[in-house]
Amino acid sequence: MSKLMTLTRFASLLDAFGAESSRWPSDERAAAEAFLAVSAEARALRAQAMRLDQALAEVRPPRASAKLTVRM
């Protein structure tokens, strides 16, 4: 039995798992994808999540200082 998808739940999926549907829980993926197909608001939220995913993918961690590296 598929779960009913709401905009609130869809936003929660995006917040927790990002915009890539393959990362969404398998038991909710079909309902989320169907909701995405009929909801302009859901598509707008996913576009926003995609931009955030891209920005996070571009972040590089800072390098450890020489002083810290020596202490290790």
Side-chain angles (χ1 to χ4, degrees):
M1 183 167 95
S2 75
K3 296 182 177 187
L4 176 64
M5 186 59 53
T6 65
L7 190 60
T8 300
R9 180 60 189 148
F10 186 78
S12 294
L13 288 175
L14 294 173
D15 288 345
F17 302 103
E20 177 56 47
S21 63
S22 66
R23 294 190 304 232
W24 300 344
S26 59
D27 64 331
E28 294 185 88
R29 189 175 305 134
E33 289 174 340
F35 187 70
L36 188 60
V38 299
S39 172
E41 291 173 303
R43 289 190 296 276
L45 287 176
R46 188 178 191 201
Q48 183 179 7
M50 291 172 83
R51 289 189 297 273
L52 177 59
D53 286 355
Q54 181 62 37
L56 291 173
E58 293 173 4
V59 173
R60 299 293 173 239
R63 295 184 68 153
S65 69
K67 192 173 186 180
L68 179 60
T69 304
V70 170
R71 290 177 59 187
M72 297 171 100

